[in-house]
């Protein structure tokens, strides 16, 4: 029962649009399915790290320090604003470049997408708060808490990965429409504004 409830909660959490969704969609539209999957793997690496931190009490130490929390909050906000500014700049590039199609799925592009996904998740203190408050609710009484939290974190990653893979597949199916220069520019503009807005909200947020 606990496991089914946890999987259902993970699905609902994954379906809520956020910065991770914005990054994964942007990379998929810009550079294809491979880059979207790389961004997903980077994001899920960050999710797993926060889950492990919650399991071993490191997240609680972070939340106990206002200075560490504020530092991470500012770093995360800067990362989001920079990526948003890059998206807006990309949208201003000449239409001829937009008509060239997605960027080639080279290894460097995948690595960049992976690090982008990892960075946005790892630099988000709200992910730490969520891991600390979300995972422990599903630990059955009498179970080994750290071991159970690690198992739950792995399940969380699996559910997230499946959901984002479906999203990437759907976006890839709509490639003919989303790949149009005007549509791509508009999506870059939207993602840029969303990322900058999320960064501004994060830097102004207080515990």
């Amino acid at each position: 029962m606990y496991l089914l409830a946890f999987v259902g909660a993970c699905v609902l959490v994954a379906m809520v649009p956020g910065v991770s969704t914005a990054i994964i969609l942007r990379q998929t539209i810009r550079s294809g399915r491979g880059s979207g999957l790389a961004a997903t793997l980077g994001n899920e690496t960050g999710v797993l790290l926060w889950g492990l931190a919650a399991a071993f009490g490191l997240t609680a130490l972070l939340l106990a320090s206002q200075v560490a929390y504020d530092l991470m909050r500012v770093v995360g906000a800067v990362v989001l604003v920079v990526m948003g500014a890059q998206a807006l700049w990309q949208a201003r590039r000449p239409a001829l470049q937009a008509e060239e199609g997605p960027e080639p799925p080279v290894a460097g592009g995948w690595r960049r997408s992976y690090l982008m996904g990892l960075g946005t998740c790892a630099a988000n203190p709200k992910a730490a708060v969520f891991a600390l408050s979300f995972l422990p609710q599903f630990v059955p009484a009498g179970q080994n808490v750290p071991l159970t939290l690690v198992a739950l974190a792995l399940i969380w990653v699996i559910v997230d990965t499946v959901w984002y893979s479906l999203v990437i597949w759907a976006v890839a199916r709509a490639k003919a429409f989303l790949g149009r220069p005007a549509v791509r520019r508009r999506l870059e503009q939207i993602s840029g504004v969303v990322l900058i807005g999320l960064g501004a909200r994060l830097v102004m947020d207080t515990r």
Side-chain angles (χ1 to χ4, degrees):
M1 182 62 68
Y2 278 98
L3 183 59
L4 290 177
F6 178 71
V7 171
C10 287
V11 172
L12 293 176
V13 169
M15 293 176 66
V16 176
V19 62
S20 297
T21 304
I23 293 298
I24 291 168
L25 288 177
R26 178 172 179 263
Q27 291 307 108
T28 303
I29 294 169
R30 288 189 62 192
S31 306
R33 188 180 303 176
S35 289
L37 289 174
T40 298
L41 292 177
N43 181 76
E44 298 316 309
T45 300
V47 168
L48 180 60
L49 290 176
W50 282 125
L52 294 176
F56 295 104
L58 300 179
T59 306
L61 293 178
L62 169 65
L63 299 181
S65 172
Q66 184 66 44
V67 174
Y69 182 90
D70 288 341
L71 178 61
M72 178 167 289
R73 180 167 54 84
V74 171
V75 170
V78 170
V79 170
L80 293 177
V81 170
V82 169
M83 288 192 295
Q86 290 176 341
L88 293 177
W89 177 256
Q90 182 72 20
R92 292 174 55 87
R93 296 176 65 183
L96 179 61
Q97 294 184 9
E99 292 173 352
E100 293 175 354
E103 297 174 2
V106 295
W110 293 347
R111 182 167 57 251
R112 185 166 55 252
S113 295
Y114 175 85
L115 293 176
M116 188 177 296
L118 174 61
T120 54
C121 184
N124 185 3
K126 291 301 181 183
V129 175
F130 189 74
L132 187 62
S133 61
F134 179 61
L135 295 181
Q137 298 181 43
F138 297 92
V139 178
Q143 297 296 316
N144 183 295
V145 175
L147 185 60
T148 304
L149 287 176
V150 171
L152 292 176
L154 290 173
I155 294 172
W156 185 9
V157 167
I158 292 172
V159 172
D160 252 14
T161 302
V162 171
W163 168 254
Y164 286 127
S165 297
L166 292 174
V167 171
I168 291 170
W169 176 84
V171 171
R173 294 284 293 179
K175 179 181 177 181
F177 172 74
L178 297 176
R180 295 176 181 176
V183 175
R184 289 181 63 186
R185 286 197 298 274
R186 181 63 64 187
L187 290 173
E188 288 283 6
Q189 291 169 350
I190 293 173
S191 65
V193 171
V194 169
L195 290 171
I196 291 175
L198 290 171
R201 187 179 69 175
L202 182 60
V203 78
M204 292 186 297
D205 187 32
T206 57
R207 288 194 288 179

